[in-house]
Amino acid sequence: MQNTSSSGQNETNAGPTTHFGYKTVAEAEKAAKVAEVFHSVAQRYDLMNDLMSAGLHRAWKAFTIARADVRPGMKVLDIAGGTGDLAKAFARKAGPSGQVWLTDINDSMLRVGRDRLIDKGLVVPTAVCDAEKLPFPDHYFDRVSVAFGLRNMTHKDVALAEMRRVLKPGGKLLVLEFSHVAKPLAPAYDWYSFNILPWLGKKVAGDEESYRYLAESIRMHPDQDTLAAMMKEAGLDRVRYFNLTAGLVALHEGVNLG
């Protein structure tokens, strides 16, 4: 018999399990498997994003940056910051009196992001860290963001609670993530995801399986309303979401009212 935990994982006599795409793996193994994916794709990550989304990921991130409304002097934490697109914009807006942290659990991605920011003349503090165990004090940041990273986390409820913990009262969390597309578009989107994405991964990044996992991980991610409920359960208020490109992506927001 299996028992379902509050974070959506299952537990058997062999110990707790979770999903890795469509596969079931031991919880303890998931982080390493996700790390393998992003170590593999780090150098071609931005190029693949442009190809996979036809450049739309730039518009989705621009919308997120605008909604964040980062102002001079603010402290911002970018989780799973990857190649640094959001951190770069936030650092420019926060200015020299602010503080923007670029973090990722994957050191290959973090190095790419750090180097890109340095090339743009921006030096920000960086840290390899697990979103489920953030190494920051309570109520430290004005804004916390995570773009296309939450779906890879083993215990999303724990990660969301950590994000709320490090937010100042009145601070805002922004979660940009692939979501559930409008039903009339679902068949075409499924065909594209499971045929074109792996093909692109093989031809451009030399890694078909990693992009097959990415397609599967999107399907396993909670839908818009479920994620909104999880954010409320984590203690966030004023939770709302914006569907972008017919729900292909959604931006969720929540505020820590203290």
Side-chain angles (χ1 to χ4, degrees):
M1 180 179 292
Q2 292 185 335
N3 297 316
T4 302
S5 72
S6 60
S7 57
Q9 281 73 45
N10 296 322
E11 188 165 348
T12 68
N13 291 334
T17 61
T18 188
H19 59 79
F20 176 73
Y22 288 164
K23 299 175 183 176
T24 298
V25 300
E27 280 189 1
E29 296 177 1
K30 181 171 180 175
K33 288 182 175 294
V34 171
E36 288 175 11
V37 169
F38 286 95
H39 284 310
S40 174
V41 305
Q43 294 301 321
R44 295 294 182 95
Y45 186 76
D46 286 326
L47 174 60
M48 283 296 297
N49 278 350
D50 280 329
L51 293 172
M52 289 188 303
S53 70
L56 283 171
H57 75 100
R58 299 178 185 274
W60 301 330
K61 291 171 183 174
F63 181 75
T64 303
I65 292 161
R67 291 295 309 175
D69 190 26
V70 173
R71 298 184 294 277
M74 280 188 169
K75 294 178 179 177
V76 183
L77 172 62
D78 187 25
I79 295 172
T83 53
D85 287 344
L86 294 187
K88 177 177 67 176
F90 294 152
R92 287 174 171 164
K93 289 178 176 293
S97 61
Q99 185 182 99
V100 176
W101 279 84
L102 172 63
T103 69
D104 203 295
I105 197 171
N106 186 282
D107 61 328
S108 295
M109 294 291 290
L110 192 63
R111 282 196 298 269
V112 172
R114 178 202 61 196
D115 292 349
R116 282 189 62 197
L117 265 63
I118 290 173
D119 289 344
K120 298 292 184 180
L122 297 168
V123 179
V124 304
T126 61
V128 174
C129 66
D130 185 343
E132 297 179 21
K133 302 173 185 176
L134 293 173
F136 301 103
D138 295 354
H139 313 312
Y140 189 77
F141 293 101
D142 299 284
R143 300 286 186 271
V144 174
S145 65
V146 54
F148 306 115
L150 184 65
R151 74 180 187 280
N152 296 310
M153 297 174 190
T154 305
H155 304 97
K156 296 175 181 63
D157 54 345
V158 175
L160 289 169
E162 275 288 272
M163 295 175 204
R164 185 224 180 239
R165 177 185 66 78
V166 300
L167 273 173
K168 294 178 181 178
K172 183 189 290 187
L173 169 65
L174 301 106
V175 181
L176 180 66
E177 187 56 87
F178 289 107
S179 198
H180 288 223
V181 72
K183 287 185 178 180
L185 300 178
Y189 181 47
D190 284 345
W191 182 86
Y192 173 81
S193 297
F194 292 103
N195 290 277
I196 302 302
L197 288 191
W199 180 84
L200 279 173
K202 180 179 180 179
K203 295 297 183 182
V204 178
D207 189 342
E208 179 178 356
E209 285 306 308
S210 288
Y211 283 91
R212 191 174 304 281
Y213 158 73
L214 291 176
E216 292 174 357
S217 70
I218 292 168
R219 299 311 187 281
M220 299 300 292
H221 188 65
D223 65 18
Q224 290 90 324
D225 290 329
T226 302
L227 180 53
M230 291 173 67
M231 290 174 66
K232 292 176 183 176
E233 185 66 24
L236 291 153
D237 296 287
R238 299 179 186 169
V239 174
R240 61 188 302 194
Y241 63 83
F242 302 88
N243 279 324
L244 308 176
T245 317
L248 178 67
V249 166
L251 173 66
H252 282 69
E253 295 179 356
V255 177
N256 178 18
L257 293 183

